[in-house]
Amino acid sequence: MASSKKKDLKSSGPKDSNSDTNDEDKDELCPGFRDVDAFVKHGFGAVLSATKASAGLPQAGDEYDFYRSFPGFQEFCESQGDKLLHCMSQIMQHHGCRSHMRDRNKLTGLEERFDLVVDSNDVILERVGILLDEADGVNRSQQPVMPAGFQPPKIVVSSWNRKGSSSSSRSETFRLLHAKNITRPQLKFKEKVDNSNTPFIPKIFIKPNAVKPLPSYFTNKQMRKERPEDLDVPAALADFIHQQRTQEHVDDMFAHPYQYELDHLTIPENLLSKPEPQMYKPVAETKLSFVDTLEDLVALNEKLCKLSEFAVDLEHHSYRSFLGLTCLMQISTRGEDFIIDTLELRSEMYILNEAFTDPSIVKVFHGADSDIEWLQRDFGLYVVNLFDTHQASRALNLARHSLDHLLKHFCSVDSDKRYQLADWRVRPLPDEMVQYARTDTHYLLYIYDCVRVQLLDFNHGQPGLLQSVWNKSRSISLKKYVKPIYTEESYLELQRKQKKSFNTQQLTAFRLLFAWRDKLARQEDESTGYVLPTHMMIKISEELPKEPQGIIACCNPVPPLVRQYINELHLLVQEAREMPLLKVRKDEWQQGGCFGGPEVPLFGPHDTSRVSESDPPQISADGKLHAHLCFLLKEVEIKDDQESSSAAQMKARRIIESFENPFRMYLPSTDVHVNKNAKFDPSSKIFEISKRWKLQSVEQQQTELEAKKKAKQEAKEMAKKQTGNRESSNAGGKKRERVDSEVGDLTPKPSKKLMKSAEKPQKTEVTPQDSFKPFDYSQSDLKVFAGNTSKDNTQFDPNRQAHDFKRKKTPKGQKNNTGAGNRSMSYLPGKSDRGFRHNWPKR
């Protein structure tokens, strides 16, 4: 028995050892490596050794060329290169990439191989990112099952959409429900969406509950069919043409239709008193009606007109529409909920104006600032007697003012915001989205009662605080929808928000791309963010790619319309690159004179010492340009001068012009130093300003000339009177005596300045050559030329001070040798006093 046990132990020994080795083989990650750490450690070592070996190779240049001259080194490099290319080809084949690394042209082979390597690296790194996401628990390849008509949702994982749960430690993420390839609801609208660059005109043509009747312009709006000449233009432009034809007031065209009713609205006393909150019904016990037909809408309007209050909310979509679309309307009463398909009943929604404008019915909204504008834009609906719970929350100074917080605070209901970013154009609506839309208004009337009670309690029973909420809600009702209008300066506002400093090329590209995006968005009825997002537009403007592929590289992901119009975008970028490169300082176009900044106090319009002709004029007071005109003028000038001169030549020209005449700034301004092309263009603003300056300078010169002429005439008359009096006195041979004149004959005595001004024109005008007489030198003292020293004068003479200081008196018998070596030997000192005017003979 013992021997048999020993045999069993001997036989079982090798089996156990074999099983251990098999388990070790099964646990290995790959042959030779037990786990991932060992494989990574070995891989890093191999990479390190390869890097060190590559550093020991000959460097590119003379050293490599020297070694390359040896046949053995050349053969070794070729063989190793083939091995590396073969290894890279195998790796590319493994990942499904193009792997033809050897079959390449000798001329362009290097560039093509480099492109293959770059593409392969992108594919491999993309797969690495997918695997890392799967390891983190985010599986992008997984597609959850959704209701019919939906695309798989995308899971957006971020800090803003995580919803903490008290029961479990895991966080829940919201789902961005985005529908692709759905039918555009704009195609089913009876009235096409007006995306034209014209102001918005109200759609209302019937005014229920009117105290002041609707202007005749809106009542005759249905007569547009009788004007076939206007059918080929947008509706807003046709209305504007008709308004100009009939010469109606523009105020009626763009005024709020219910302005008068809202201004004279008075809140009843029962709405300012403390109410008794009426508890809401459970959602499961409340009837829900989906309104998508005209009959149901009329029945709903009749029900609403019999109530005293109801709650309203809207669901909006703005990504795939230029102006936006109101996709859904939720209305809740005390005992029933309604969901209206506004995409289907878009042209019939004006029926609800009967209930919405009834001043005896309270319409409860939460955050109605945007809802009021959307109702006017899409349906022509207006709200009278509005109560906004958001304004009530702000008056109560609650912690947060969102509807989610109010539901939690008053109703203890946790709202499900997973479908907050959903695409509400989807039809049919799934149950989850219906319940989400229903929750927004189901509890709103109970919240309306609760906030009114707290507003009165907060103000010690006084209705002042509650009245302020009603007033703020009424001001929200008075808001008017304003259509986005494109102007040539629209891009500047967006540029200031981005706080980017661009040069002239980048700013030109940004302006051209902004205009292209707005035009295409209006044409295709897409949002500007869908056509070209702002951050991508800034990226393209900063980089200024030379090729179309560079524009695509600046966009990730590439918008569909950018890929479709890539050639047009490339032409716009090329046009911007042709502009001269000048740095535009941020303070120059944001804080300087170009945008109404502080002007320099020590600067005048005629001061050309710091401003050249190429710079736009700085105009103040009545001649001030628009906020951005100086920058536009600079662009126009750059376009005009870019063919004739470069930036360096323009700088040299300005330097040369500064040396033309340093006193030009003090001369009368006969011309204004502005751009030559703009100066002669009658359509430019500079042309008008330069003409204005010219007229002002001409008028000033004319007034000065007239004043001078009058002064000359007066001086001549005074001179004639004086000469006449002198002749009469000389003819009499007696000295003219002073005679007392009468009071009426009093004449002021001419001043010395007038006498001089009267003598000057006589001297300049009358210069006869016959009156000239030669000087008689017989009476002059010629002894001064003989060298005799004149007697010392006792009076002080400053002209001779320096001369006398040099010529000191020396006693007799002593020689004066000072300065003998510094004088010329061609004449004797003291023989002539040359250079002193008082020694010359006087005429």
Side-chain angles (χ1 to χ4, degrees), residues 291-314:
V291 180
D292 57 354
T293 61
L294 180 60
E295 292 77 9
D296 295 341
L297 185 64
V298 173
L300 172 62
N301 182 60
E302 293 178 356
K303 290 181 181 180
L304 296 178
C305 291
K306 299 176 183 179
L307 300 175
S308 59
E309 70 270 338
F310 58 87
V312 186
D313 191 26
L314 302 177

Side-chain angles (χ1 to χ4, degrees), residues 816-834:
N816 188 6
N817 296 326
T818 59
N822 295 330
R823 298 194 182 116
S824 175
M825 302 301 293
S826 60
Y827 67 95
L828 295 176
K831 295 294 182 180
S832 174
D833 291 335
R834 182 174 51 183

Side-chain angles (χ1 to χ4, degrees), residues 491-559:
Y491 74 100
L492 295 174
E493 183 179 359
L494 180 61
Q495 174 66 13
R496 287 194 294 269
K497 291 180 180 179
Q498 300 300 322
K499 298 180 180 179
K500 295 283 186 178
S501 58
F502 285 162
N503 55 33
T504 52
Q505 293 182 354
Q506 294 173 340
L507 196 60
T508 303
F510 186 81
R511 175 173 58 83
L512 295 175
L513 291 175
F514 185 89
W516 172 85
R517 183 180 72 166
D518 183 86
K519 179 181 178 181
L520 189 62
R522 294 177 186 271
Q523 178 182 347
E524 301 291 336
D525 195 15
E526 300 284 357
S527 65
T528 55
Y530 177 81
V531 175
L532 180 61
T534 301
H535 68 279
M536 296 183 185
M537 184 168 60
I538 293 176
K539 183 68 173 177
I540 296 173
S541 302
E542 290 178 342
E543 299 295 334
L544 295 176
K546 297 181 180 180
E547 299 295 335
Q549 292 78 7
I551 298 177
I552 295 178
C554 293
C555 304
N556 185 22
V558 183

Side-chain angles (χ1 to χ4, degrees), residues 170-450:
R170 295 191 307 173
S171 61
E172 182 183 359
T173 58
F174 298 157
R175 295 180 182 272
L176 176 61
L177 185 58
H178 178 66
K180 295 182 179 179
N181 301 325
I182 68 171
T183 304
R184 293 172 62 84
Q186 298 95 314
L187 302 177
K188 299 180 181 179
F189 294 163
K190 295 180 180 180
E191 294 184 4
K192 293 184 179 180
V193 180
D194 182 19
N195 294 328
S196 60
N197 196 29
T198 54
F200 175 76
I201 299 176
K203 294 184 175 183
I204 186 172
F205 60 94
I206 297 176
K207 186 178 180 181
N209 305 305
V211 178
K212 181 180 178 180
L214 191 68
S216 60
Y217 170 77
F218 296 105
T219 57
N220 297 333
K221 194 173 182 181
Q222 296 299 323
M223 299 172 59
R224 187 181 301 142
K225 296 180 181 180
E226 299 179 4
R227 294 181 281 124
E229 65 274 11
D230 296 337
L231 294 178
D232 55 342
V233 297
L237 186 58
D239 294 338
F240 187 76
I241 294 172
H242 179 65
Q243 184 270 339
Q244 293 294 331
R245 289 175 178 173
T246 55
Q247 296 182 357
E248 295 180 5
H249 297 289
V250 181
D251 297 338
D252 296 339
M253 193 173 181
F254 300 104
H256 195 288
Y258 284 88
Q259 177 82 33
Y260 184 83
E261 286 77 8
L262 288 170
D263 291 340
H264 295 78
L265 177 65
T266 56
I267 306 300
E269 293 295 333
N270 61 338
L271 297 180
L272 296 176
S273 60
K274 189 173 183 180
E276 184 68 26
Q278 184 177 350
M279 181 58 64
Y280 54 87
K281 291 184 178 181
V283 177
E285 300 177 2
T286 306
K287 180 183 177 181
L288 175 64
S289 302
F290 192 81
V291 180
D292 57 354
T293 61
L294 180 60
E295 292 77 9
D296 295 341
L297 185 64
V298 173
L300 172 62
N301 182 60
E302 293 178 356
K303 290 181 181 180
L304 296 178
C305 291
K306 299 176 183 179
L307 300 175
S308 59
E309 70 270 338
F310 58 87
V312 186
D313 191 26
L314 302 177
E315 300 298 339
H316 190 261
H317 178 81
S318 60
Y319 185 62
R320 297 302 305 274
S321 175
F322 181 74
L323 299 177
L325 299 171
T326 303
C327 302
L328 214 65
M329 177 187 288
Q330 305 96 271
I331 296 178
S332 294
T333 64
R334 296 286 183 180
E336 192 174 359
D337 297 332
F338 301 92
I339 294 181
I340 306 173
D341 188 358
T342 57
L343 296 178
E344 188 70 24
L345 300 173
R346 181 184 175 93
S347 58
E348 289 82 15
M349 289 294 295
Y350 69 91
I351 297 174
L352 295 179
N353 257 332
E354 185 178 358
F356 274 63
T357 59
D358 191 347
S360 62
I361 304 175
V362 179
K363 276 69 67 175
V364 183
F365 285 76
H366 180 82
D369 300 79
S370 300
D371 296 343
I372 294 296
E373 297 182 359
W374 295 340
L375 290 174
Q376 297 177 18
R377 179 197 64 196
D378 294 336
F379 317 126
L381 287 176
Y382 296 87
V383 180
V384 179
N385 199 3
L386 165 70
F387 186 89
D388 193 348
T389 55
H390 175 78
Q391 299 298 329
S393 175
R394 296 177 66 89
L396 291 172
N397 294 324
L398 298 181
R400 290 186 293 122
H401 310 305
S402 62
L403 181 60
D404 186 16
H405 178 71
L406 295 182
L407 290 173
K408 183 68 175 177
H409 181 73
F410 293 105
C411 307
S412 301
V413 174
D414 293 328
S415 61
D416 187 4
K417 295 295 181 181
R418 290 183 300 171
Y419 298 97
Q420 188 175 8
L421 301 177
D423 190 348
W424 291 96
R425 301 176 301 162
V426 178
R427 296 293 184 272
L429 286 171
D431 295 337
E432 295 86 352
M433 296 178 68
V434 170
Q435 293 299 324
Y436 167 80
R438 183 184 184 182
T439 307
D440 288 346
T441 57
H442 181 76
Y443 305 95
L444 202 55
L445 291 177
Y446 176 75
I447 296 175
Y448 160 67
D449 296 337
C450 294

Side-chain angles (χ1 to χ4, degrees), residues 487-664:
T487 60
E488 295 181 357
E489 300 84 25
S490 300
Y491 74 100
L492 295 174
E493 183 179 359
L494 180 61
Q495 174 66 13
R496 287 194 294 269
K497 291 180 180 179
Q498 300 300 322
K499 298 180 180 179
K500 295 283 186 178
S501 58
F502 285 162
N503 55 33
T504 52
Q505 293 182 354
Q506 294 173 340
L507 196 60
T508 303
F510 186 81
R511 175 173 58 83
L512 295 175
L513 291 175
F514 185 89
W516 172 85
R517 183 180 72 166
D518 183 86
K519 179 181 178 181
L520 189 62
R522 294 177 186 271
Q523 178 182 347
E524 301 291 336
D525 195 15
E526 300 284 357
S527 65
T528 55
Y530 177 81
V531 175
L532 180 61
T534 301
H535 68 279
M536 296 183 185
M537 184 168 60
I538 293 176
K539 183 68 173 177
I540 296 173
S541 302
E542 290 178 342
E543 299 295 334
L544 295 176
K546 297 181 180 180
E547 299 295 335
Q549 292 78 7
I551 298 177
I552 295 178
C554 293
C555 304
N556 185 22
V558 183
L561 293 177
V562 170
R563 192 181 297 275
Q564 181 178 352
Y565 293 93
I566 186 64
N567 294 328
E568 187 174 348
L569 289 174
H570 179 53
L571 293 177
L572 295 178
V573 175
Q574 281 185 340
E575 181 180 351
R577 291 181 64 89
E578 293 175 358
M579 296 289 295
L581 186 61
L582 296 176
K583 182 66 175 178
V584 180
R585 295 180 301 175
K586 182 179 289 188
D587 56 353
E588 181 179 356
W589 61 268
Q590 278 188 346
Q591 302 173 0
C594 292
F595 286 94
E599 297 180 355
V600 181
L602 301 177
F603 180 78
H606 302 289
D607 187 3
T608 59
S609 59
R610 296 184 295 272
V611 181
S612 63
E613 293 182 3
S614 60
D615 293 337
Q618 298 288 341
I619 305 164
S620 60
D622 54 340
K624 194 170 183 180
L625 291 177
H626 197 261
H628 60 278
L629 181 58
C630 56
F631 182 77
L632 296 179
L633 289 176
K634 186 179 291 184
E635 289 186 353
V636 173
E637 180 189 354
I638 290 171
K639 290 181 179 180
D640 294 336
D641 297 342
Q642 62 182 354
E643 298 180 358
S644 59
S645 61
S646 61
Q649 292 175 351
M650 293 169 62
K651 184 177 180 181
R653 189 190 309 160
R654 287 196 294 266
I655 295 174
I656 293 172
E657 288 174 354
S658 63
F659 290 99
E660 285 183 359
N661 188 358
F663 302 99
R664 188 173 63 180

Side-chain angles (χ1 to χ4, degrees), residues 51 88 116 129-130 149 153 203 266 302 332 394 426 430 617 648 738 760 767 780 804 842:
T51 305
M88 294 171 66
L116 284 177
I130 293 173
K203 294 184 175 183
T266 56
E302 293 178 356
S332 294
R394 296 177 66 89
V426 178
R738 184 173 181 180
K760 284 181 180 180
T767 55
S780 62
D804 294 340
K842 298 182 180 179

